[in-house]
Amino acid sequence: MNDLGRRLSFSGLLRAARVIMRQRVPSRLKRALMASYFRLCFLRAGRRGEGRVRVSGFNVKYCSYDSLLYLFREIFLEQVYWFHSESDAPSIIDCGANIGMSVLYFKMLYPAAEILAFEPDPDAFASLSWNTGEGNGFSGVSVRNEALAGNAGRVSLYSSLSGPGDLSASFIESRAGGPARTVNAVRLSDFIDRPVQLLKMDIEGAETEVLKELKDSGKLALVSRLLLEYHHHIDRNADSFSGILALLESCGFGYQLSASLERPLRGGRFQDILVHAYKVR
Amino acid sequence: MKEFILNMLRLPGIIGRTGNLGFTPAFRRGLLRSHLRYMAAAAPAGGGIAGMAGYKVRYCNYASFRYLFTELFLNGEYNFIPETEAPVILDCGSNIGMSVLYFKTRYPDAQITAFEPDVAAFSCLRDNVAGNRLGGVCLNNKAVSGKDGHVVFWRDPDKEGALGNTICPNTPKAASAADSVRLSAYVKGRVDLLKLDVEGAEFEVLEDLSSSGKLGFIRQMIVEYHLHMPGMPERLSGFLGLLEAAGFGYQLGGEIERPFSDGAFQALHIYAYNKMPADK
């Protein structure tokens, strides 16, 4: 995944083209994606810091070019958040939206989607609110500069040293390793009172407590699909992923997992595990 | 033609990868030569014998052989780091023995106990171990499961020794009988690696190891976990829970097929390692 076009290489380009061709999106979007890929990877290579760029027909304001590239590859090229919705206007909650690339992607899939997005990091939030507001003039998107936690209140958000709006800002100091800021935290259950077609969650270590709170409040029953980024081995000696799966099983969810296993096989490695869970009818 | 071009484009990646798999330079050259030869030749029908980097490999069907060759020898799926140069390995679901050849190539002094219930695959396994003069390998034409005795073994009648043959009743296939053993009876001391690829029986095997108190003897595990086998309950949480309770850590691997479809079968790779220090 990370070798996808970081450098100018024939195989990187070829791989991107193959990935794009495989996607279940109209060919008009495939052409736009390919053009975005060129723009991002070649024309602007070497660019650092914040700025604006057009991605797949959207205006995108970003905090860091490297993060933007990473998000573009994962969300638009690999389409890890692709999901099927019966409705043209699914209700989506996006927890940990960062600069809003996921929101743009959902709007590309379902232009009439109703989206509520959370992002605690103030720098990322500034981009998020521009990207979903004046930048693209979306309707049906609301954004909140808040963190999600098991209890409402003030929490410390540690940022990493990679720059503003970075992707691994977390409550857990060892995950991020940089200075802390105090941000507002809210309970997700307070925002769910009707069916939610998709709950996307990438909240850097807080996922277990937020999911537990959602189950205990009975609101998980209103959610029909989850895209959960589980952060395995934030503490390299703690293995407790079975708890998340048991919670999902007990609430009637089936799931599939996506994760990459490095060779040689070695323990104690940090891993992002994407859990795609769906209500079993 | 398209396949050939794709294969050529993949070649640089394969050449790079095989350099990091711990093979001797001579063996690696042999592997690449074999790979090129397979690429150039048309796929033969039925069973046969293929040369592979100095080994003679008898196989039941060519597609499975090529698949195992790629996964094990070119991609290094079982590339693990044992705590000793003479690891004790339990290889459950050996099929024609490509895994045995892999382990013996990397660790010539390994002590391997292999299990394979399928009669056709087992006959290849026996020939491959004897024909390549591999010592320290003990073969069992048996299924590992939660009980001793006999189990119904479901075979694909159109494909001899198919990789999906299983003791779990899933898709309609031809039924036959197989001897079955509890794996715990074979764990008498430290086991450096348990390889478990038993097409859906992995939960009962782990349960047997756990309830018999033998799980603590195992240092590392490579498991192919079969998620959403038709007719099987969902219990990956239980499987990981057993590992956690026994003091194992784990890493996971899996790929989601596109487009996403609810309830689709998925083969997950679980690498588990004992976090307690080994008894000397």
Side-chain angles (χ1 to χ4, degrees):
Chain A
M1 159 81 237
N2 290 329
D3 61 340
L4 203 65
R6 176 72 181 263
R7 285 153 300 157
L8 196 143
S9 78
F10 181 58
S11 62
L13 175 66
L14 215 73
R15 168 131 199 259
R18 228 173 49 226
V19 169
I20 290 171
M21 293 310 288
R22 273 208 316 254
Q23 308 296 0
R24 288 284 167 109
V25 292
S27 40
R28 174 181 55 82
L29 283 176
K30 287 183 184 172
R31 283 194 295 275
L33 282 174
M34 206 58 217
S36 306
Y37 179 89
F38 270 111
R39 220 173 4 255
L40 284 168
C41 294
F42 299 125
L43 303 180
R44 297 184 168 230
R47 190 160 166 180
R48 295 289 175 271
E50 61 168 53
R52 279 181 205 175
V53 67
R54 270 184 83 75
V55 173
S56 192
F58 297 118
N59 296 310
V60 180
K61 186 174 166 188
Y62 57 86
C63 305
S64 122
Y65 190 77
D66 286 343
S67 298
L68 176 78
L69 261 191
Y70 176 83
L71 291 167
F72 173 74
R73 284 185 208 119
E74 191 168 270
I75 297 174
F76 283 87
L77 286 188
E78 300 274 342
Q79 302 211 24
V80 299
Y81 295 150
W82 186 90
F83 75 107
H84 173 74
S85 163
E86 307 268 306
S87 148
D88 288 341
S91 162
I92 299 172
I93 298 184
D94 188 337
C95 307
N98 195 264
I99 62 169
M101 290 292 275
S102 45
V103 176
L104 299 179
Y105 175 73
F106 294 137
K107 276 289 188 186
M108 178 181 103
L109 279 186
Y110 302 107
E114 298 278 328
I115 305 176
L116 169 61
F118 293 88
E119 175 53 48
D121 183 288
D123 298 313
F125 182 79
S127 296
L128 169 67
S129 91
W130 190 87
N131 290 334
T132 56
E134 58 186 296
N136 295 291
F138 290 145
S139 60
V141 178
S142 51
V143 293
R144 302 186 67 97
N145 190 197
E146 283 159 343
L148 293 157
N151 289 303
R154 307 279 291 170
V155 294
S156 295
L157 181 74
Y158 296 91
S159 46
S160 80
L161 304 169
S162 66
D166 70 84
L167 296 173
S168 52
S170 172
F171 299 144
I172 299 163
E173 194 174 358
S174 61
R175 168 79 178 130
R181 268 185 291 212
T182 308
V183 297
N184 259 335
V186 292
R187 288 188 313 181
L188 185 54
S189 62
D190 294 336
F191 295 87
I192 299 181
D193 47 20
R194 61 199 177 90
V196 173
Q197 267 77 50
L198 177 72
L199 172 58
K200 178 227 130 185
M201 200 184 286
D202 186 2
I203 52 179
E204 306 301 318
E207 54 270 13
T208 304
E209 57 170 304
V210 170
L211 216 54
K212 272 187 185 138
E213 190 271 320
L214 214 53
K215 184 198 173 190
D216 295 342
S217 65
K219 297 292 178 70
L220 193 52
L222 289 169
V223 176
S224 44
R225 197 172 285 277
L226 272 160
L227 280 166
L228 173 70
E229 296 271 3
Y230 180 79
H231 298 80
H232 184 52
H233 284 165
I234 286 185
D235 170 356
R236 59 198 298 270
N237 285 311
D239 292 86
S240 48
F241 184 47
S242 75
I244 290 269
L245 296 181
L247 186 154
L248 291 172
E249 288 168 16
S250 74
C251 292
F253 284 94
Y255 45 79
Q256 296 190 38
L257 308 179
S258 166
S260 77
L261 194 54
E262 278 180 54
R263 308 296 192 293
L265 298 161
R266 216 177 262 143
R269 276 180 175 150
F270 174 77
Q271 273 193 298
D272 278 317
I273 302 174
L274 177 68
V275 184
H276 188 145
Y278 48 89
K279 267 282 160 51
V280 180
R281 269 173 268 274
Chain B
M1 188 62 197
K2 189 181 158 204
E3 193 54 31
F4 181 77
I5 292 171
L6 281 177
N7 274 330
M8 291 309 286
L9 289 171
R10 287 189 196 116
L11 210 50
I14 288 172
I15 292 170
R17 232 175 6 255
T18 48
N20 300 323
L21 294 180
F23 296 126
T24 61
F27 187 81
R28 180 183 168 214
R29 279 195 299 275
L31 274 184
L32 293 172
R33 263 199 304 272
S34 301
H35 178 60
L36 290 174
R37 210 172 55 236
Y38 303 153
M39 260 169 59
I49 293 176
M52 183 194 82
Y55 291 124
K56 283 249 173 298
V57 181
R58 205 186 125 207
Y59 56 83
C60 313
N61 72 75
Y62 187 73
S64 302
F65 163 72
R66 279 295 297 278
Y67 173 80
L68 291 167
F69 171 76
T70 304
E71 288 302 309
L72 272 50
F73 286 92
L74 301 184
N75 295 339
E77 181 167 324
Y78 296 153
N79 187 7
F80 79 117
I81 303 169
E83 292 159 81
T84 145
E85 279 300 301
V88 175
I89 298 176
L90 294 180
D91 185 345
C92 306
S94 302
N95 196 261
I96 61 168
M98 293 292 278
S99 49
V100 175
L101 289 173
Y102 172 80
F103 291 131
K104 273 291 181 185
T105 305
R106 289 295 308 279
Y107 303 101
D109 298 328
Q111 294 290 322
I112 303 178
T113 308
F115 298 87
E116 176 51 50
D118 187 276
V119 176
F122 185 81
S123 133
C124 293
L125 169 64
R126 201 180 41 213
D127 288 0
N128 290 335
V129 168
N132 293 298
R133 297 199 187 82
L134 303 181
V137 182
C138 172
L139 303 176
N140 298 281
N141 188 195
K142 290 170 180 166
V144 291
S145 76
K147 60 172 186 142
D148 291 318
H150 301 284
V151 287
V152 179
F153 185 68
W154 299 88
R155 291 180 306 109
D156 183 343
D158 303 326
K159 203 171 164 191
E160 288 268 280
L163 296 174
N165 289 353
T166 174
I167 64 169
C168 300
N170 52 8
T171 42
K173 289 179 179 177
S176 58
D179 287 340
S180 132
V181 287
R182 286 179 305 135
L183 189 60
S184 56
Y186 291 80
V187 181
K188 299 196 176 85
R190 172 192 165 119
V191 172
D192 293 285
L193 179 73
L194 165 60
K195 185 216 106 179
L196 199 56
D197 186 359
V198 290
E199 305 302 314
E202 52 271 9
F203 190 89
E204 46 184 299
V205 171
L206 192 71
E207 220 170 22
D208 162 52
L209 289 174
S210 163
S211 62
S212 60
K214 296 289 178 70
L215 209 44
F217 287 111
I218 293 166
R219 303 303 305 159
Q220 302 185 61
M221 276 183 223
I222 299 174
V223 182
E224 182 151 316
Y225 189 93
H226 299 78
L227 195 62
H228 309 307
M229 290 275 279
M232 298 285 286
E234 207 48 81
R235 47 189 179 178
L236 179 59
S237 73
F239 191 88
L240 295 180
L242 285 176
L243 290 174
E244 289 168 16
F248 279 80
Y250 47 80
Q251 309 285 155
L252 302 179
E255 226 176 294
I256 292 180
E257 292 261 342
R258 308 292 170 70
F260 187 90
S261 101
D262 294 0
F265 168 77
Q266 206 190 357
L268 290 176
H269 297 279
I270 303 177
Y271 165 66
Y273 51 96
N274 202 324
K275 291 192 274 194
M276 315 289 171
D279 294 331
K280 288 291 163 198

